Amino acid sequence: MNARSITTSMNASITAEVPMAPRMAQDPVELVPEVAEVSAALFKATGNRSVPRTTISLIQLRAGQIVGNTYLTVLHTGFLRKAGVSEERITSVASWQDSPYFTPAERAALALVEAVLQPSAEGERVSDELYAQVAEHYDPKALATLTIAIGQVNFFISIALIAKPVPGRSFTDPWN
């Protein structure tokens, strides 16, 4: 393959229209109904009020951005808008490190989700130092809830990347 055909191939994939239908024709929850119980348990666990729902949505939006999934970024952006979060805060999640819109506790949570989802040049993703910084802002129950919230979005990342639900459709029915 020469340079011109590689460039043409890359441009074709970049400019190709994205289909507005999910990759999987059926909702995975319909195919494996037990998933609904797992999902409900995760939502209940993260909704225990030890961590503000906004913080959970911020870290889950950041997770969607990190893995490059439009469905998840649109979904969590919508949750944040419905909660009344400002556009400045929502749009600066991707660059939270230099954004003035986040509290120290939110910054700690965003650092934690990034550490979990991104490889580390130093080896260990969640260092003792990072853990200690997060623990300064969250009591043990809240820290466990953050951990579960990151696990929750990771659970849905695989579904979002493989099944490819349509962005912008209802959270409860992205397959229609």
Side-chain angles (χ1 to χ4, degrees):
M1 197 179 251
N2 64 33
R4 182 184 168 135
S5 63
I6 290 172
T7 302
T8 303
S9 173
M10 286 178 17
N11 288 339
S13 65
I14 291 170
T15 59
E17 214 172 293
V18 177
M20 286 303 289
R23 182 181 291 151
M24 268 187 167
Q26 270 187 282
D27 183 341
V29 175
E30 289 176 8
L31 298 169
V32 185
E34 298 83 0
V35 170
E37 293 173 36
V38 173
S39 178
L42 289 169
F43 277 103
K44 184 177 180 182
T46 60
N48 67 26
R49 300 181 189 207
S50 65
V51 176
R53 177 48 74 184
T54 300
T55 301
I56 291 171
S57 289
L58 288 170
I59 66 168
Q60 292 181 337
L61 170 57
R62 186 65 189 124
Q65 292 171 339
I66 291 167
V67 301
N69 185 266
T70 303
Y71 175 77
L72 291 172
T73 57
V74 169
L75 177 70
H76 292 292
T77 296
F79 287 162
L80 289 162
R81 282 188 180 124
K82 284 179 185 171
V85 175
S86 73
E87 287 300 311
E88 292 84 3
R89 279 173 46 89
I90 293 169
T91 57
S92 66
V93 166
S95 58
W96 65 269
Q97 296 90 341
D98 68 351
S99 171
Y101 301 114
F102 302 103
T103 67
E106 290 168 337
R107 289 177 180 286
L110 288 163
L112 185 62
V113 74
E114 283 194 2
V116 169
L117 291 176
Q118 296 176 327
S120 171
E122 291 82 43
E124 187 175 28
R125 290 182 188 210
V126 179
S127 66
D128 290 341
E129 180 184 15
L130 175 57
Y131 182 87
Q133 289 172 357
V134 176
E136 287 177 22
H137 300 283
Y138 296 97
D139 66 30
K141 181 177 181 177
L143 187 51
T145 301
L146 274 177
T147 302
I148 293 165
I150 293 168
Q152 176 187 32
V153 75
N154 275 310
F155 176 80
F156 288 108
I157 283 171
S158 60
I159 294 171
L161 292 174
I162 295 167
K164 245 183 154 174
V166 177
R169 295 216 178 137
S170 166
F171 169 67
T172 57
D173 202 8
W175 269 263
N176 287 330

